[in-house]
């Protein structure tokens, strides 16, 4: 398993201990990924796994070690000698993991010979051929199984790499600048009844539009709040709620309570309490907690925020805005740093 993981440029504690700290750049990785360390479509490690699996299953089927294992381990020793020659004279690099597994295989072969050689009775030719045939079937089945597994893992790795490449493309400053250039502007940006935090003198503004009961708003707010904690002195931060219902509905009660906390206790208390709400989003638990009772002022502010959203045709949540630009939903709050850096580069250009 460790050999297989190392061949995929991944690191394990055992791999580091045997191959060294720089496992990915070590001789282990170099040998395991080399084309010369392959036998057709199969890695030599596939053959090792198939041999161990088939041998173990054959022992279970027979209930004992027989003379056929002498022949099998003799072939295994020849294979081990071949891998050592490959490393020494063809690849000119040593895979410590491979040498360790080879050493264990040689030890296994010695133990098998020690157990079997004292046995004087030899099986007949028919019985010997039968055991070899069973081993061959088990070996082929194991080899196909591990080959199929490696193919599936390779597809998964390829997909993950494609996702990484897509993410890098999506985060590139050039792509973000193109997106910002084509993004929609607010129709009526002035007069937003927002809650404000951060640096009021900062040039750039980050505004998030939320709903208290929106499932997607949970992730949006928590990422927004995380970014705010890192950059509270660098930008202006604003927030408002966009609730389509009116009166003292359950969602409005939550939002109005949060607005009351902002007015009475300040931005930091509001942000912390809003974080607690989105982490739980349990209305009954929220109501049971001691807290202020919102006033008509808070409900009125909630309606003003809704009216501003309607005037700017913001009918869904969450919505992320930078200055007066509505950021497409493909870019959530986790991209804020990339978005703002690209925006500042564009202004400098």
């Amino acid at each position: 398993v460790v050999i297989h993981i190392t061949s995929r440029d991944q690191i394990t504690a055992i791999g580091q201990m045997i191959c060294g700290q720089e496992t990915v750049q070590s001789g282990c990785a170099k040998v395991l990924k080399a084309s010369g360390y392959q036998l057709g479509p199969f890695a030599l490690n596939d053959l090792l796994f198939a041999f161990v699996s088939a041998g173990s299953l054959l022992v279970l089927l027979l209930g004992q070690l027989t003379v056929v294992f002498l022949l099998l381990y003799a072939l295994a020793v020849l294979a081990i000698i071949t891998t050592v020659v490959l490393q020494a004279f063809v690849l000119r690099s040593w895979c410590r993991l491979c040498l360790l597994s080879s050493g264990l295989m040689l030890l296994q072969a010695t133990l098998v010979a020690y157990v079997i050689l004292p046995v004087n009775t030899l099986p007949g030719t028919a019985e010997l051929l039968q055991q070899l045939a069973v081993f061959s079937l088990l070996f082929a089945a194991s080899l196909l199984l591990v080959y199929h597994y490696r193919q599936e893992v390779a597809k998964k790795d390829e997909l993950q790499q494609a996702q990484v490449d897509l993410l890098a493309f999506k985060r590139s400053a050039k792509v973000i600048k193109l997106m910002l250039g084509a993004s929609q502007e607010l129709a009526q940006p002035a007069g937003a009844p927002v809650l404000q935090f951060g640096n009021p003198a900062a040039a750039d503004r980050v505004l998030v539009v939320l709903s208290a009961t929106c499932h997607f708003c949970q992730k949006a707010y928590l990422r927004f709040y995380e970014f705010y904690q890192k950059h509270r002195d660098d930008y202006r931060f604003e927030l408002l709620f966009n609730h389509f219902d009116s009166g003292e509905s359950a969602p409005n009660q939550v939002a109005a309570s949060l607005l009351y906390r902002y007015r009475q206790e300040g931005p930091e208390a509001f942000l912390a309490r809003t974080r607690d709400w989105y982490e739980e989003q349990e209305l009954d638990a929220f109501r049971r907690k001691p807290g202020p009772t919102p006033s008509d002022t808070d409900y009125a502010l909630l309606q003003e925020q809704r009216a501003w959203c309607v005037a700017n045709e913001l009918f869904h949540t969450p919505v992320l805005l930078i200055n007066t630009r509505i950021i497409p939903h493909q870019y959530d709050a986790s991209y804020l740093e990339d978005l703002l850096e690209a925006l500042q580069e564009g202004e400098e250009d």
Side-chain angles (χ1 to χ4, degrees), residues 65-82:
L65 290 170
T66 64
V67 174
V68 72
F69 283 92
L70 286 177
L71 175 60
L72 295 176
Y73 273 95
L75 294 174
V77 170
L78 288 176
I80 289 171
I81 294 172
T82 302

PDB file of all heavy atoms in Angstrom, residues 65-82:
ATOM      1  N   LEU A  65       1.411 -25.554   3.594  1.00  0.00           N
ATOM      2  CA  LEU A  65       2.420 -25.242   2.591  1.00  0.00           C
ATOM      3  C   LEU A  65       2.835 -26.536   1.904  1.00  0.00           C
ATOM      4  O   LEU A  65       3.085 -27.546   2.560  1.00  0.00           O
ATOM      5  CB  LEU A  65       3.638 -24.584   3.240  1.00  0.00           C
ATOM      6  CG  LEU A  65       3.447 -23.160   3.776  1.00  0.00           C
ATOM      7  CD1 LEU A  65       4.658 -22.745   4.602  1.00  0.00           C
ATOM      8  CD2 LEU A  65       3.239 -22.176   2.637  1.00  0.00           C
ATOM      9  N   THR A  66       2.907 -26.504   0.595  1.00  0.00           N
ATOM     10  CA  THR A  66       3.301 -27.697  -0.152  1.00  0.00           C
ATOM     11  C   THR A  66       4.541 -27.394  -0.996  1.00  0.00           C
ATOM     12  O   THR A  66       5.011 -26.256  -1.070  1.00  0.00           O
ATOM     13  CB  THR A  66       2.155 -28.163  -1.069  1.00  0.00           C
ATOM     14  OG1 THR A  66       1.901 -27.142  -2.044  1.00  0.00           O
ATOM     15  CG2 THR A  66       0.877 -28.411  -0.274  1.00  0.00           C
ATOM     16  N   VAL A  67       5.037 -28.430  -1.663  1.00  0.00           N
ATOM     17  CA  VAL A  67       6.259 -28.300  -2.448  1.00  0.00           C
ATOM     18  C   VAL A  67       6.099 -27.277  -3.578  1.00  0.00           C
ATOM     19  O   VAL A  67       7.078 -26.652  -4.010  1.00  0.00           O
ATOM     20  CB  VAL A  67       6.651 -29.685  -3.017  1.00  0.00           C
ATOM     21  CG1 VAL A  67       7.842 -29.560  -3.977  1.00  0.00           C
ATOM     22  CG2 VAL A  67       6.991 -30.636  -1.881  1.00  0.00           C
ATOM     23  N   VAL A  68       4.863 -27.063  -4.044  1.00  0.00           N
ATOM     24  CA  VAL A  68       4.657 -26.117  -5.135  1.00  0.00           C
ATOM     25  C   VAL A  68       5.135 -24.710  -4.753  1.00  0.00           C
ATOM     26  O   VAL A  68       5.556 -23.937  -5.618  1.00  0.00           O
ATOM     27  CB  VAL A  68       3.162 -26.085  -5.542  1.00  0.00           C
ATOM     28  CG1 VAL A  68       2.312 -25.385  -4.485  1.00  0.00           C
ATOM     29  CG2 VAL A  68       2.981 -25.390  -6.885  1.00  0.00           C
ATOM     30  N   PHE A  69       5.119 -24.410  -3.456  1.00  0.00           N
ATOM     31  CA  PHE A  69       5.560 -23.081  -3.017  1.00  0.00           C
ATOM     32  C   PHE A  69       7.065 -22.891  -3.199  1.00  0.00           C
ATOM     33  O   PHE A  69       7.540 -21.765  -3.326  1.00  0.00           O
ATOM     34  CB  PHE A  69       5.161 -22.843  -1.557  1.00  0.00           C
ATOM     35  CG  PHE A  69       3.704 -22.518  -1.387  1.00  0.00           C
ATOM     36  CD1 PHE A  69       2.794 -23.526  -1.133  1.00  0.00           C
ATOM     37  CD2 PHE A  69       3.248 -21.222  -1.501  1.00  0.00           C
ATOM     38  CE1 PHE A  69       1.444 -23.242  -0.992  1.00  0.00           C
ATOM     39  CE2 PHE A  69       1.901 -20.935  -1.356  1.00  0.00           C
ATOM     40  CZ  PHE A  69       0.989 -21.938  -1.109  1.00  0.00           C
ATOM     41  N   LEU A  70       7.837 -23.989  -3.191  1.00  0.00           N
ATOM     42  CA  LEU A  70       9.271 -23.870  -3.479  1.00  0.00           C
ATOM     43  C   LEU A  70       9.472 -23.327  -4.888  1.00  0.00           C
ATOM     44  O   LEU A  70      10.310 -22.442  -5.127  1.00  0.00           O
ATOM     45  CB  LEU A  70       9.954 -25.229  -3.329  1.00  0.00           C
ATOM     46  CG  LEU A  70      10.151 -25.737  -1.902  1.00  0.00           C
ATOM     47  CD1 LEU A  70      10.764 -27.136  -1.934  1.00  0.00           C
ATOM     48  CD2 LEU A  70      11.043 -24.792  -1.105  1.00  0.00           C
ATOM     49  N   LEU A  71       8.708 -23.856  -5.826  1.00  0.00           N
ATOM     50  CA  LEU A  71       8.818 -23.399  -7.203  1.00  0.00           C
ATOM     51  C   LEU A  71       8.367 -21.945  -7.328  1.00  0.00           C
ATOM     52  O   LEU A  71       9.025 -21.131  -7.991  1.00  0.00           O
ATOM     53  CB  LEU A  71       7.968 -24.297  -8.105  1.00  0.00           C
ATOM     54  CG  LEU A  71       7.874 -23.881  -9.585  1.00  0.00           C
ATOM     55  CD1 LEU A  71       9.261 -23.862 -10.217  1.00  0.00           C
ATOM     56  CD2 LEU A  71       6.945 -24.823 -10.337  1.00  0.00           C
ATOM     57  N   LEU A  72       7.255 -21.616  -6.656  1.00  0.00           N
ATOM     58  CA  LEU A  72       6.723 -20.255  -6.741  1.00  0.00           C
ATOM     59  C   LEU A  72       7.700 -19.241  -6.163  1.00  0.00           C
ATOM     60  O   LEU A  72       7.930 -18.175  -6.744  1.00  0.00           O
ATOM     61  CB  LEU A  72       5.378 -20.175  -6.010  1.00  0.00           C
ATOM     62  CG  LEU A  72       4.239 -21.020  -6.616  1.00  0.00           C
ATOM     63  CD1 LEU A  72       2.995 -20.930  -5.746  1.00  0.00           C
ATOM     64  CD2 LEU A  72       3.942 -20.563  -8.032  1.00  0.00           C
ATOM     65  N   TYR A  73       8.290 -19.566  -5.008  1.00  0.00           N
ATOM     66  CA  TYR A  73       9.214 -18.620  -4.392  1.00  0.00           C
ATOM     67  C   TYR A  73      10.546 -18.575  -5.124  1.00  0.00           C
ATOM     68  O   TYR A  73      11.263 -17.568  -5.076  1.00  0.00           O
ATOM     69  CB  TYR A  73       9.406 -18.947  -2.913  1.00  0.00           C
ATOM     70  CG  TYR A  73       8.351 -18.282  -2.055  1.00  0.00           C
ATOM     71  CD1 TYR A  73       7.192 -18.960  -1.693  1.00  0.00           C
ATOM     72  CD2 TYR A  73       8.496 -16.969  -1.640  1.00  0.00           C
ATOM     73  CE1 TYR A  73       6.205 -18.346  -0.937  1.00  0.00           C
ATOM     74  CE2 TYR A  73       7.525 -16.349  -0.887  1.00  0.00           C
ATOM     75  CZ  TYR A  73       6.374 -17.041  -0.534  1.00  0.00           C
ATOM     76  OH  TYR A  73       5.406 -16.416   0.202  1.00  0.00           O
ATOM     77  N   ALA A  74      10.899 -19.638  -5.825  1.00  0.00           N
ATOM     78  CA  ALA A  74      12.090 -19.583  -6.679  1.00  0.00           C
ATOM     79  C   ALA A  74      11.877 -18.569  -7.798  1.00  0.00           C
ATOM     80  O   ALA A  74      12.772 -17.774  -8.128  1.00  0.00           O
ATOM     81  CB  ALA A  74      12.376 -20.968  -7.258  1.00  0.00           C
ATOM     82  N   LEU A  75      10.666 -18.585  -8.381  1.00  0.00           N
ATOM     83  CA  LEU A  75      10.337 -17.580  -9.401  1.00  0.00           C
ATOM     84  C   LEU A  75      10.335 -16.175  -8.805  1.00  0.00           C
ATOM     85  O   LEU A  75      10.770 -15.212  -9.444  1.00  0.00           O
ATOM     86  CB  LEU A  75       8.959 -17.900 -10.010  1.00  0.00           C
ATOM     87  CG  LEU A  75       8.880 -19.201 -10.826  1.00  0.00           C
ATOM     88  CD1 LEU A  75       7.434 -19.467 -11.241  1.00  0.00           C
ATOM     89  CD2 LEU A  75       9.782 -19.123 -12.056  1.00  0.00           C
ATOM     90  N   ALA A  76       9.837 -16.060  -7.568  1.00  0.00           N
ATOM     91  CA  ALA A  76       9.803 -14.750  -6.907  1.00  0.00           C
ATOM     92  C   ALA A  76      11.216 -14.221  -6.680  1.00  0.00           C
ATOM     93  O   ALA A  76      11.479 -13.016  -6.842  1.00  0.00           O
ATOM     94  CB  ALA A  76       9.057 -14.859  -5.582  1.00  0.00           C
ATOM     95  N   VAL A  77      12.140 -15.102  -6.307  1.00  0.00           N
ATOM     96  CA  VAL A  77      13.533 -14.689  -6.088  1.00  0.00           C
ATOM     97  C   VAL A  77      14.153 -14.201  -7.397  1.00  0.00           C
ATOM     98  O   VAL A  77      14.880 -13.205  -7.429  1.00  0.00           O
ATOM     99  CB  VAL A  77      14.351 -15.851  -5.485  1.00  0.00           C
ATOM    100  CG1 VAL A  77      15.850 -15.511  -5.490  1.00  0.00           C
ATOM    101  CG2 VAL A  77      13.891 -16.138  -4.062  1.00  0.00           C
ATOM    102  N   LEU A  78      13.843 -14.870  -8.508  1.00  0.00           N
ATOM    103  CA  LEU A  78      14.332 -14.411  -9.809  1.00  0.00           C
ATOM    104  C   LEU A  78      13.785 -13.025 -10.137  1.00  0.00           C
ATOM    105  O   LEU A  78      14.508 -12.169 -10.676  1.00  0.00           O
ATOM    106  CB  LEU A  78      13.926 -15.410 -10.898  1.00  0.00           C
ATOM    107  CG  LEU A  78      14.660 -16.758 -10.901  1.00  0.00           C
ATOM    108  CD1 LEU A  78      14.084 -17.673 -11.975  1.00  0.00           C
ATOM    109  CD2 LEU A  78      16.162 -16.550 -11.129  1.00  0.00           C
ATOM    110  N   ALA A  79      12.512 -12.805  -9.818  1.00  0.00           N
ATOM    111  CA  ALA A  79      11.911 -11.493 -10.054  1.00  0.00           C
ATOM    112  C   ALA A  79      12.578 -10.422  -9.203  1.00  0.00           C
ATOM    113  O   ALA A  79      12.829  -9.304  -9.668  1.00  0.00           O
ATOM    114  CB  ALA A  79      10.409 -11.547  -9.755  1.00  0.00           C
ATOM    115  N   ILE A  80      12.907 -10.769  -7.970  1.00  0.00           N
ATOM    116  CA  ILE A  80      13.568  -9.818  -7.071  1.00  0.00           C
ATOM    117  C   ILE A  80      14.948  -9.449  -7.609  1.00  0.00           C
ATOM    118  O   ILE A  80      15.339  -8.268  -7.627  1.00  0.00           O
ATOM    119  CB  ILE A  80      13.673 -10.420  -5.650  1.00  0.00           C
ATOM    120  CG1 ILE A  80      12.296 -10.467  -4.995  1.00  0.00           C
ATOM    121  CG2 ILE A  80      14.654  -9.618  -4.794  1.00  0.00           C
ATOM    122  CD1 ILE A  80      12.262 -11.238  -3.698  1.00  0.00           C
ATOM    123  N   ILE A  81      15.687 -10.452  -8.079  1.00  0.00           N
ATOM    124  CA  ILE A  81      17.014 -10.192  -8.658  1.00  0.00           C
ATOM    125  C   ILE A  81      16.887  -9.267  -9.872  1.00  0.00           C
ATOM    126  O   ILE A  81      17.693  -8.340 -10.058  1.00  0.00           O
ATOM    127  CB  ILE A  81      17.695 -11.516  -9.043  1.00  0.00           C
ATOM    128  CG1 ILE A  81      18.008 -12.336  -7.778  1.00  0.00           C
ATOM    129  CG2 ILE A  81      18.971 -11.261  -9.844  1.00  0.00           C
ATOM    130  CD1 ILE A  81      18.504 -13.736  -8.062  1.00  0.00           C
ATOM    131  N   THR A  82      15.839  -9.479 -10.664  1.00  0.00           N
ATOM    132  CA  THR A  82      15.609  -8.637 -11.843  1.00  0.00           C
ATOM    133  C   THR A  82      15.369  -7.183 -11.448  1.00  0.00           C
ATOM    134  O   THR A  82      15.915  -6.257 -12.064  1.00  0.00           O
ATOM    135  CB  THR A  82      14.397  -9.159 -12.635  1.00  0.00           C
ATOM    136  OG1 THR A  82      14.635 -10.519 -13.016  1.00  0.00           O
ATOM    137  CG2 THR A  82      14.159  -8.313 -13.875  1.00  0.00           C
TER     138      THR A  82
END
